[in-house]
Amino acid sequence: MPSNSSHFSTSSPAPHRPHRPRRAARAAALALGLALAAALTGCAADSRPPAAAGPTVSMNVSASASAVDSRERLTVDGGTREYLLHRPAAGGSGPRPLLIAFHGRGADAEHLRKQSGLDRAAEARGMLLVYPEALGKAWGAGAAPNSRRPDPDADVRFTEALIAEMVRTGRADPHRVYVAGFSNGGSMALRMAAQRPDLVAGAASVSGELPTGAAAVKPTGPVPVLIVYGAEDPVRPLAGLPDPGPAAPGEEPITATMSARESAEAFATAAGAGGPAEEGKPGYDSVTWHPGPAGAAVRLLVMHGAGHTWPGSATPPPAGFGSVSTALDATGTLLDFLSAQKR
């Protein structure tokens, strides 16, 4: 998969956060657009609902453990889920930092690989990458059931099972587990950070916000979070989508979302972070809530003139999604931010 070929200036990473105490572990998702969702991959999204919840999670991994890239399978809740795995070719065989990267609605794991260029950038940092595949090409980023998704927690359990498998097999460091994603996948990453703060050391969302309304997801503990957003996003507006309206026939209902700033503020409040410091940069605005006692920084980067796109991407977006910002490389920026965090 090609990475971004151009060079971009990146924002400075958040300061290193020391090991912080965590509470015991506890037991958002808008479409890329009604008619536009199918354009992301050239096909309509499958409308199958997630597998029903079960009392146990079993795991059965396939593919060669020695391969740098592999497609693997995991048995969760009695059903089979798939994911792409990218392992760095060098740097030893011990536990590595792990990044779970969620694709957008209507897309798939391979599309996110091409869109983000994460493979090469993560490999340079010695990170293990997992790209999970969503059921029906959409993530259950909201906390309420709907007609197409009767079990809203299935994807949370799938992600937990993925992390557990990577840790169990000695491939991932449990103290350096990160989540990131684009659009609906970005909202899924924020949901994991909000509901599993004792599992996730950091989260990053590109064009994804926290769900609100009946499917609201609220942060329950301190987690470092970075949100990157286009100021002119026509699909998932910067100001949020409190009333998304009905979905297209056959599509999963669209989840209402709060604004990008409100999403960041929710994590800042949960982390006990300090007040926001705002700064204008060439091509984007930066807002940082400096770490509080828990050591969790929260950042929001708003890209001038950008749409529902991945800043710095070399992959052209679908028609109607707006412009791609070249003011910074979102991939390097979010990896620098995440790799500075440790649980």
Side-chain angles (χ1 to χ4, degrees), residues 28 46 49 67 143 157 222 231 265 289 303 320:
D46 185 351
R157 293 193 301 276
E265 288 174 338
W289 289 263
M303 314 307 299

CSV table of all heavy atoms in Angstrom, one decimal, residues 28 46 49 67 143 157 222 231 265 289 303 320:
chain,number,residue,atom,x,y,z
A,28,ALA,N,-20.1,6.7,17.0
A,28,ALA,CA,-20.6,7.2,17.1
A,28,ALA,C,-20.6,7.2,15.7
A,28,ALA,O,-19.8,7.7,15.1
A,28,ALA,CB,-19.4,7.5,18.0
A,46,ASP,N,-23.4,-3.6,2.7
A,46,ASP,CA,-24.1,-4.8,3.1
A,46,ASP,C,-24.9,-4.4,4.3
A,46,ASP,O,-24.5,-3.7,5.2
A,46,ASP,CB,-23.2,-5.9,3.4
A,46,ASP,CG,-23.8,-7.2,3.7
A,46,ASP,OD1,-25.1,-7.2,3.9
A,46,ASP,OD2,-23.1,-8.2,3.9
A,49,PRO,N,-27.1,-7.4,9.9
A,49,PRO,CA,-26.8,-6.9,11.3
A,49,PRO,C,-25.7,-7.7,11.9
A,49,PRO,O,-25.3,-8.8,11.4
A,49,PRO,CB,-28.1,-7.3,12.0
A,49,PRO,CG,-28.7,-8.4,11.3
A,49,PRO,CD,-28.3,-8.2,9.8
A,67,ALA,N,4.1,-14.0,8.5
A,67,ALA,CA,3.9,-13.0,7.4
A,67,ALA,C,3.9,-11.6,7.9
A,67,ALA,O,3.5,-11.4,9.0
A,67,ALA,CB,2.6,-13.4,6.7
A,143,ALA,N,-24.5,3.8,21.2
A,143,ALA,CA,-24.8,2.9,22.3
A,143,ALA,C,-26.3,2.4,22.3
A,143,ALA,O,-26.7,1.8,23.2
A,143,ALA,CB,-24.5,3.6,23.6
A,157,ARG,N,-17.2,-5.6,21.8
A,157,ARG,CA,-16.6,-6.9,22.2
A,157,ARG,C,-15.6,-7.4,21.1
A,157,ARG,O,-14.6,-8.0,21.5
A,157,ARG,CB,-17.8,-7.9,22.3
A,157,ARG,CG,-18.7,-7.5,23.5
A,157,ARG,CD,-19.6,-8.7,23.9
A,157,ARG,NE,-20.4,-9.1,22.7
A,157,ARG,CZ,-21.6,-8.6,22.4
A,157,ARG,NH1,-22.1,-7.5,23.2
A,157,ARG,NH2,-22.3,-9.0,21.4
A,222,PRO,N,-10.1,9.1,32.0
A,222,PRO,CA,-9.1,9.9,31.2
A,222,PRO,C,-8.4,9.1,30.2
A,222,PRO,O,-7.8,8.1,30.4
A,222,PRO,CB,-8.1,10.4,32.3
A,222,PRO,CG,-8.2,9.3,33.4
A,222,PRO,CD,-9.6,8.8,33.4
A,231,ALA,N,-12.9,21.8,8.3
A,231,ALA,CA,-13.8,22.9,8.6
A,231,ALA,C,-15.0,23.0,7.7
A,231,ALA,O,-16.1,23.5,8.0
A,231,ALA,CB,-13.1,24.3,8.6
A,265,GLU,N,-14.2,18.4,24.1
A,265,GLU,CA,-14.5,18.9,25.4
A,265,GLU,C,-14.9,17.8,26.4
A,265,GLU,O,-14.6,17.8,27.6
A,265,GLU,CB,-15.5,20.0,25.4
A,265,GLU,CG,-15.0,21.3,24.7
A,265,GLU,CD,-16.1,22.4,24.5
A,265,GLU,OE1,-17.2,22.0,24.5
A,265,GLU,OE2,-15.7,23.6,24.4
A,289,TRP,N,-6.2,21.1,25.2
A,289,TRP,CA,-6.6,21.1,26.6
A,289,TRP,C,-5.4,20.3,27.3
A,289,TRP,O,-5.2,19.1,27.2
A,289,TRP,CB,-7.9,20.3,26.8
A,289,TRP,CG,-9.1,21.0,26.3
A,289,TRP,CD1,-10.0,21.8,27.1
A,289,TRP,CD2,-9.6,21.0,25.0
A,289,TRP,NE1,-11.0,22.3,26.3
A,289,TRP,CE2,-10.8,21.8,25.0
A,289,TRP,CE3,-9.2,20.4,23.8
A,289,TRP,CZ2,-11.6,22.1,23.9
A,289,TRP,CZ3,-10.0,20.7,22.7
A,289,TRP,CH2,-11.1,21.5,22.7
A,303,MET,N,-9.0,21.8,10.1
A,303,MET,CA,-8.3,22.1,8.8
A,303,MET,C,-9.1,23.1,8.0
A,303,MET,O,-10.2,22.9,7.6
A,303,MET,CB,-8.1,20.8,8.0
A,303,MET,CG,-7.6,19.6,8.9
A,303,MET,SD,-6.1,20.0,9.8
A,303,MET,CE,-4.9,20.4,8.5
A,320,GLY,N,-17.9,15.1,-4.1
A,320,GLY,CA,-18.9,15.6,-3.1
A,320,GLY,C,-18.3,15.6,-1.7
A,320,GLY,O,-19.0,16.1,-0.7
